[in-house]
Amino acid sequence: MSEQYKSTRKHQCEVCNKEELMLFTCNYCNKFFCAEHHLPENHKCIYIPKTPPPYIKTRLNVMTIKESQQESLNTHMIKEKQKEPELKKGGSINKTKPIIVFLITAILIGTLSYCVNWYNTQPSLESLILLKINFERTSRGLAPLHEDSRLDVAARLHCEDMIRNGYFEHEGSDGTPSSRAEAQGYPTQKIIGSLIYTGVGENIIKNPCYFLINFIPIPTIDYFDHDILASNLVNSWMNSPGHRANILDPIYMDIGIGVAWSGLTIYSTTNFGLGI
């Protein structure tokens, strides 16, 4: 802090010894200084109080903000410099990432395409169930069963009715196995000698399925693999005495098979007919 002082005689600046008529006097040390050295910090006044005056505080605050901004900029530049060697070091790895992603995508698309083509060309689930049931019969010396379209429709409609109405029984809102077959025009009575046989045999099953991808020997998905599903269904029936008896009963000549899906659960019905 200084005040301008005017005199008729020249005074010398205490710092640079410049002589001028108009000098500044320091309020702390009362000495004379030129315009260049009149501020206390410029002539290093030893009488400056520990707490600087307001104008010095303001100046210091401004400097502090500038220094803070410069420090922040320097810190950012240092961080950017630190990143450079990491980018250079990992440059070769980053270049390979698009190639790896491309290869993985190509493999997935190829596998999916193969599975879709395989699914569209595989035999129907119902035909495979018939094939496996007849294998169980012929391997034991029994005659194979003949597929009857009327029994197929009755079996398929019963699967759909169980899903729609939320039950799992032989008798439901659509009737009994025999009434369902008769509704499709299939005869349920047969006379052999002095014996009269009536009715229709029936096996039903509700089997949860899961997505399980196999890559050996070829890519397949168990959920969509009709051969695996057919084997699971027939094996379950063969492991149950009552269902096994229907499959291996020599009195039956015809068969009807139906399947329906409810989410990840498959319903299957097999009707056994006496034939004409």
Side-chain angles (χ1 to χ4, degrees):
M1 180 166 142
S2 61
E3 293 181 357
Q4 195 171 17
Y5 175 82
K6 189 173 181 180
S7 174
T8 55
R9 64 185 184 86
K10 292 184 177 181
H11 295 273
Q12 283 187 340
C13 174
E14 295 290 337
V15 177
C16 61
N17 296 323
K18 185 188 297 183
E19 291 186 354
E20 293 183 0
L21 290 174
M22 185 179 292
L23 291 180
F24 294 85
T25 181
C26 177
N27 287 345
Y28 297 114
C29 62
N30 294 322
K31 294 181 180 179
F32 294 96
F33 301 92
C34 64
E36 182 181 355
H37 300 102
H38 74 282
L39 292 176
E41 59 265 35
N42 289 347
H43 62 261
K44 299 180 180 179
C45 183
I46 61 174
Y47 298 99
I48 297 177
K50 292 183 179 180
T51 303
Y55 78 92
I56 293 182
K57 280 186 179 180
T58 303
R59 183 172 176 276
L60 288 176
N61 288 338
V62 172
M63 291 298 292
T64 303
I65 293 173
K66 288 182 179 179
E67 290 172 0
S68 176
Q69 291 174 345
Q70 184 64 34
E71 183 180 356
S72 176
L73 179 61
N74 293 339
T75 303
H76 178 72
M77 293 175 64
I78 292 172
K79 288 182 178 179
E80 290 296 325
K81 289 182 180 180
Q82 290 176 349
K83 288 181 180 179
E84 287 181 2
E86 294 178 3
L87 291 173
K88 291 178 181 178
K89 192 181 297 182
S92 59
I93 297 177
N94 292 337
K95 290 179 181 178
T96 61
K97 284 184 178 179
I99 299 175
I100 295 173
V101 172
F102 173 78
L103 291 175
I104 293 175
T105 304
I107 292 172
L108 290 176
I109 292 174
T111 302
L112 179 61
S113 176
Y114 179 91
C115 289
V116 170
N117 181 66
W118 156 78
Y119 177 77
N120 291 331
T121 57
Q122 68 175 332
S124 69
L125 179 56
E126 293 170 352
S127 65
L128 287 171
I129 292 174
L130 173 61
L131 183 66
K132 293 179 184 299
I133 285 177
N134 277 335
F135 174 78
E136 297 293 342
R137 288 176 64 90
T138 56
S139 64
R140 292 169 174 81
L142 299 172
L145 298 171
H146 302 285
E147 186 175 13
D148 189 285
S149 60
R150 295 166 295 182
L151 292 176
D152 284 342
V153 174
R156 197 172 299 119
L157 291 177
H158 185 52
C159 290
E160 294 172 357
D161 188 68
M162 286 191 291
I163 294 173
R164 184 168 51 253
N165 294 296
Y167 69 96
F168 182 66
E169 299 290 343
H170 291 287
E171 295 185 14
S173 57
D174 56 351
T176 65
S178 296
S179 66
R180 289 191 291 269
E182 291 171 351
Q184 299 303 321
Y186 185 84
T188 59
Q189 187 178 80
K190 183 177 182 179
I191 300 174
I192 302 177
S194 60
L195 300 177
I196 300 176
Y197 294 90
T198 60
V200 170
E202 185 178 80
N203 287 351
I204 60 174
I205 191 170
K206 180 174 69 172
N207 186 47
C209 301
Y210 306 95
F211 285 95
L212 179 60
I213 300 178
N214 301 310
F215 289 95
I216 300 174
I218 58 174
T220 59
I221 304 177
D222 285 2
Y223 181 83
F224 297 109
D225 193 324
H226 289 171
D227 187 65
I228 292 177
L229 289 177
S231 295
N232 290 340
L233 297 177
V234 174
N235 288 338
S236 296
W237 282 326
M238 290 299 292
N239 290 328
S240 171
H243 298 92
R244 178 188 179 93
N246 279 339
I247 292 175
L248 301 179
D249 194 332
I251 196 64
Y252 292 128
M253 304 296 294
D254 297 332
I255 189 173
I257 301 169
V259 296
W261 291 92
S262 176
L264 295 179
T265 301
I266 183 171
Y267 287 71
S268 180
T269 299
T270 304
N271 287 333
F272 301 90
L274 297 169
I276 300 173

